[in-house]
């Protein structure tokens, strides 16, 4: 409560609007998250006459954010614990996510690979183009294929994988 009062007081002293998100204990005893926004109303002499604003209950939004965070943590833990290499690309065929097994297999760091096109994994430009032609097949469901890909070291090696399009990934 002291921090909230200090933040509001500082904003009012500087004649600035304030926006805060904090928890309160409701009369019934449970905790709620609220978003408070306001500003001071000042006289012509610059004296604070009133504070205008609102407080909104955002408990539902906070619960949803927490559930999403837990879900993302679970996904990350699962993907990182699998021994198969996993990577996701966006519609432009740029890598957006990889797991530890992928990094170990291909020899890249996350910084070196995220945001780069999968062209760098293909053994040739023709391989890259041919693989791109499989997208319509992948949109109908998972496609299990054998392909040759390239490690960071330049070594080309055969892979057997299941590839599919996941809606909402770009």
């Amino acid at each position: 409560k002291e921090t909230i009062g200090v933040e509001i007081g500082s904003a009012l002293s500087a004649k600035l609007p304030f926006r805060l998100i904090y928890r309160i204990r409701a009369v019934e005893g449970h905790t709620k998250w609220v978003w408070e926004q306001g500003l001071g109303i000042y006289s012509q002499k610059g004296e604070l006459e009133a504070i205008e604003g609102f407080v909104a209950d955002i408990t539902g939004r906070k619960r949803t954010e927490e559930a999403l965070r837990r879900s993302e943590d679970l996904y990350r833990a699962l993907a990182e614990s699998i021994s198969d290499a996993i990577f996701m690309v966006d519609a432009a065929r740029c890598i957006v996510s990889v797991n530890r097994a992928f990094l170990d297999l291909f020899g890249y760091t996350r910084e070196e690979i995220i945001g780069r096109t999968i062209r760098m994994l293909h053994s040739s430009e023709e391989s890259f183009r041919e693989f791109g032609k499989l997208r319509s097949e992948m949109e109908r469901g998972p496609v299990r294929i054998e392909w040759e890909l390239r490690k960071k070291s330049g070594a080309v090696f055969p892979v057997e994988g299941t590839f599919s399009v996941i809606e909402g990934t770009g």
Side-chain angles (χ1 to χ4, degrees), residues 116-127:
R116 304 276 310 271
T117 175
I118 61 167
R119 178 177 274 116
M120 65 193 292
L121 302 178
H122 284 274
S123 59
S124 66
E125 186 62 27
E126 180 185 353
S127 169

Side-chain angles (χ1 to χ4, degrees), residues 62-81:
K62 287 299 235 179
R63 285 186 183 140
T64 301
E65 288 171 357
E66 178 59 23
L68 179 59
R69 187 194 60 74
R70 281 194 311 269
S71 176
E72 288 172 346
D73 289 348
L74 265 162
Y75 155 76
R76 194 171 294 106
L78 177 63
E80 288 299 322
S81 68

